[in-house]
Amino acid sequence: MSGGGRAINVLSVAEKPSVAKSVATLLSRAQGMRVREGRSRYNKIFEFDYSIRGQHCRMLVTSVTGHLMELDFEERFRKWHSCDPADLYAAPVRKFVPQDKMDIKRTLEEEARRCQWLVLWLDCDREGENIAFEVIDICTAVNCNLTIKRARFSALIEREIHDSVQNLVEPNQWFADAVDARQEIDLRIGASFTRFQTMLLRDAFVIDSAADDRNLVLSYGPCQFPTLGFVVERFWEIQSHEPEEFWTINCSHRSEEGIVTFNWMRGHLFDYTCAAIIYEMCVEEPSATVTRVRQQEKFKYPPHPLSTIEMEKRASRYFRMSSEHTMKVSEELYQAGFISYPRTETDNFSARTDLHAIAQEQQGHPVWGSYAQRLLDPSSGLWRNPSNGGHDDKAHPPIHPTKFSGGETNWSQDHHRLYELVVRHFLACVSQPAIGAETTVDIDIAGEQFVASGRVIIAKNYLDVYRFESWGGSVIPTYVPGQQFIPTTLTLDSGVTRPPPLLSEADLLNCMDKAGIGTDATMHDHIKKLLDRFYATKDQNMRFSPTNLGEALVMGYDDMGYKLWKPNLRSMMEFDMRAVSEGSKTKAEVLETCLQQMKACFVDARSSKQKLMEAMAVFFERAARTARDEQHMMGEVVRLCGLCHQSNMVLKRNRDGNLMVGCLGFPQCRNVVWLPGSVSEAVVTANICNSCRPGPVYMIQFKFRRLEIPPNYSVDHLGCIGGCDDTLQQLTEICGTGSRMSARAGAPTPSSTSVHRTNSRQQACSNCRQLGHSSTSCPSVTSGTRNSRSRREDQQDGGLSISCNTCGASCPLKTANTANNKGRKFYSCQSEGCNFFVWEDSLQNGGGRHGANGGASNSRAHSNSLGGRGRRGRGGRGSNNATDGTFVSATGDPVSGRCYVCGDPSHFANVCPNRYA
DNA sequence: GCAAGGTC
């Protein structure tokens, strides 16, 4: 290395010790490099001589460990009761070096004093640029004559590092400003909302979390809350799911080569009549003709190179490891030198990476070594350059093995697993895709198309090493176009739609990634925070549910009309940050507008704190009740009970928050009138209804939530629960009676953003949908309260009902409205999952046609036909009255037909005893 | 006692 003139001292600072070491090693080419200790034991100082553009330099390379400084309020605003939380939007903040970083600060000061240049080797992203300015602040404070330069590099590769030091640039103030703005906004919003909601709610309710109440912090943060929002939203989606019965035609054919199932091209239909008509057409003319046989080569491609989020998702799926634990283990593997830097967004290898060398190291492994050998043997043709996932953080390569290990003695099972995942993932992504031969056979029965397919794996390739993935193969017998055959079975089967599953950790990471919540290095922290704050729990299947606390907080803000639990706020901030980093907005501008908006939002939210209190009251007992609260719990008298004539009926909320007028004689008298779920307030007035008896019946002043009732209804309504009030009945019908079963449920296509929800995990009564009782003791059967389930095309006949032979629940009398049985009356069970059904005339004719045995056995047979595809839920009723020759669909419509298998008109093929004979 | 972002 040649150099002219007098040597200058150049202080180089990297973001972490490992980068300092790499940079120093690469620049010095490991020759003449000295290592000495700094004040911090992790951050060594590397010294060597180097020449930058002909200038002879004494290089001193050291590091920080991420941010050197923190942002916080000035001391006098730090105590929670020191100020109004709203003041935190303007309270002075300052940056300071926390105690545990003081050693690094001192090292920088000492070295900077004797240097002429400062070269910043921080990661090349916005955070890195911000840390660069922290380092500049520290260093220039002790040496104002420093020449400051920035090294820009995209990988720790020799040529890249030499290039960057020969082409030093200026640090980018805009990038650093964007981070400053982000930090300040996060701090002010987080602190203000956290203090506000903690102080408001912690002492007002008995929150039964594992934490001591006094230590409980109900935190709010622009990342943790949207993360919670994802969990709650999915939970609500599941709660509001209405199972819908569907119908599908299945066809199978047994030949000498085996049995094949052909699937209906229409998938499934929700209209029973339609499905039944088509089915009957097929049954009339069951001969199948092969219309097309296709053979195609299909590929299953290996994954992209491994990024942090992908590693977390896969470790969660394959090993049930939490993302937080995965990061801890991967950090340890990285520290010990076995894998590359584990916090990377990059899923594309640089063209300069020696991929073969990485694979070569693994050839000696007892398990996957032979695969690595085969991979490196050119004659195998197994090698393939990895695909590009399209992400590059310009700082780190994809995660890959950096040192061979057959397993270390101090490794836990999870260390072994994660190392194996990193190695196998690497070997997979430099391998050829798996190849399969797929055969698809199309057939036609009476004009209906069915399809069956089979797959034979021709070459497993990467699947040989990537044991975490599989590709199912199934053999299909030979068919030729034009071939005809009679199906072995042809059945009309039913199933019910199912709600989506709870979010898994991988799902949650996906949601966060898509919405830009957190970074690859922090996403697992936000997830863990939900658990630590008792906002969510993770079940045995690694799936997340909100706790009552988490749900109540989201519900409270949602009721205020704020989307603070949605990712929008973060997206908006991210948008502004980008503007600052590109120079199109200044830090001051963004801070001013954003904080102004957030303060207005905060003040407004605080003025609606009642919503938060109400949402909490849905789930939690009040800690100390005031006299007024007690009065409210007792309820205000509306009338004398018309059922028991002994006790008063009072207006109150049940413990789930649903408004009701219930008899004080409970539990002896179970008379109750549930109020529409869209009621936000209800107060008993002194007005007395003129028509309802026995009087007096006091009228109630209602206030409805505007968004939850149709536009032609007024939000204010003076109503009567005595039975005379059509408006109230209509709104009950429209909105349902659960306080959270909002009218949004009636929207034609409920989207994930406007899901309706219930407020309790209790099983609701299948009859009236209310909580706190089962359908067998449902008071609305006798009080005649209409419910949404009774809004069907069938006519319900004057409240007549019988007890279900199967489950004992109420079976109301109804009138069929189908062509074959128009006007014929039947009883059908209201109970969820019960299939009991009986024609009224069959009861009159001796009653022997329906018995408990018949109902139960039909139900079993029908369940079997589902073949595990779906459980029968609410609305999924259907009962096959075997002796009657009719099939009753989910809507109660009896339809005639006959069995394809044996021709018996008394049943359909799906319950035929000879179906597989 | 609050956030989110670095990193050990």
Side-chain angles (χ1 to χ4, degrees), chain A residues 224-235:
Chain A
Q224 53 178 276
F225 237 60
T227 306
L228 173 61
F230 292 129
V231 174
V232 173
E233 197 162 38
R234 173 58 63 91
F235 182 74

Side-chain angles (χ1 to χ4, degrees), chain A residues 479-727:
Chain A
Y479 288 92
V480 291
Q483 179 185 343
Q484 294 202 321
F485 62 85
I486 301 293
T488 310
T489 64
L490 190 61
T491 56
L492 180 64
D493 297 327
S494 75
V496 285
T497 58
R498 308 195 62 176
L502 289 165
L503 288 183
S504 68
E505 188 141 5
D507 294 334
L508 195 48
L509 287 164
N510 240 350
C511 292
M512 296 169 76
D513 191 22
K514 279 191 190 145
I517 301 297
T519 67
D520 52 341
T522 61
M523 283 182 186
H524 67 273
D525 282 335
H526 301 310
I527 294 176
K528 182 164 181 289
K529 186 146 278 177
L530 298 192
L531 304 174
D532 291 346
R533 297 286 190 218
F534 308 102
Y535 289 169
T537 54
K538 186 157 72 168
D539 65 22
Q540 291 168 330
N541 298 319
M542 309 280 286
R543 290 184 181 273
F544 290 84
S545 310
T547 59
N548 286 339
L549 181 58
E551 190 181 353
L553 290 173
V554 171
M555 193 188 276
Y557 285 112
D558 192 43
D559 285 349
M560 291 179 198
Y562 284 121
K563 300 296 176 203
L564 289 169
W565 52 282
K566 292 273 202 178
N568 313 33
L569 174 64
R570 196 70 189 169
S571 310
M572 192 184 80
M573 281 170 59
E574 190 55 39
F575 188 80
D576 277 347
M577 294 312 107
R578 188 160 304 136
V580 174
S581 67
E582 288 166 355
S584 58
K585 281 188 187 177
T586 66
K587 173 171 89 173
E589 241 177 290
V590 164
L591 276 174
E592 191 184 327
T593 51
C594 184
L595 290 175
Q596 199 178 10
Q597 283 171 12
M598 282 312 298
K599 185 180 179 182
C601 175
F602 175 82
V603 170
D604 204 36
R606 190 168 58 176
S607 71
S608 312
K609 66 184 179 192
Q610 196 55 33
K611 301 282 185 198
L612 212 45
M613 300 288 278
E614 283 169 11
M616 285 291 285
V618 169
F619 298 97
F620 300 102
E621 286 290 326
R622 293 298 296 256
R625 289 194 198 110
T626 61
R628 196 174 152 272
D629 289 334
E630 290 290 351
Q631 178 62 39
H632 196 249
M633 287 294 286
M634 287 299 295
E636 297 163 283
V637 175
V638 179
R639 67 177 302 183
L640 180 70
C641 176
L643 194 62
C644 68
H645 297 279
Q646 285 181 355
S647 303
N648 281 325
M649 294 189 74
V650 295
L651 170 68
K652 59 181 180 181
R653 285 184 193 274
N654 73 348
R655 62 198 168 98
D656 297 307
N658 301 331
L659 271 170
M660 58 192 260
V661 178
C663 180
L664 285 175
F666 183 87
Q668 285 75 32
C669 177
R670 290 170 175 267
N671 194 11
V672 66
V673 177
W674 294 96
L675 298 175
S678 47
V679 174
S680 65
E681 288 167 32
V683 180
V684 179
T685 67
N687 300 325
I688 293 169
C689 174
N690 291 327
S691 51
C692 291
R693 297 288 175 268
V697 180
Y698 292 98
M699 298 181 76
I700 301 175
Q701 183 65 51
F702 293 101
K703 198 172 206 43
F704 297 99
R705 294 186 193 88
R706 176 73 274 169
L707 292 175
E708 299 184 13
I709 56 170
N712 53 325
Y713 288 82
S714 164
V715 287
D716 294 302
H717 173 66
L718 183 64
C720 173
I721 54 97
C724 65
D725 186 339
D726 287 343
T727 305

Side-chain angles (χ1 to χ4, degrees), chain A residues 28-47:
Chain A
S28 68
R29 298 200 164 93
Q31 289 181 358
M33 185 174 84
R34 263 193 347 115
V35 188
R36 61 181 168 91
E37 296 291 319
R39 286 181 174 267
S40 149
R41 78 187 165 103
Y42 300 110
N43 308 86
K44 317 272 185 221
I45 303 159
F46 303 90
E47 283 191 48

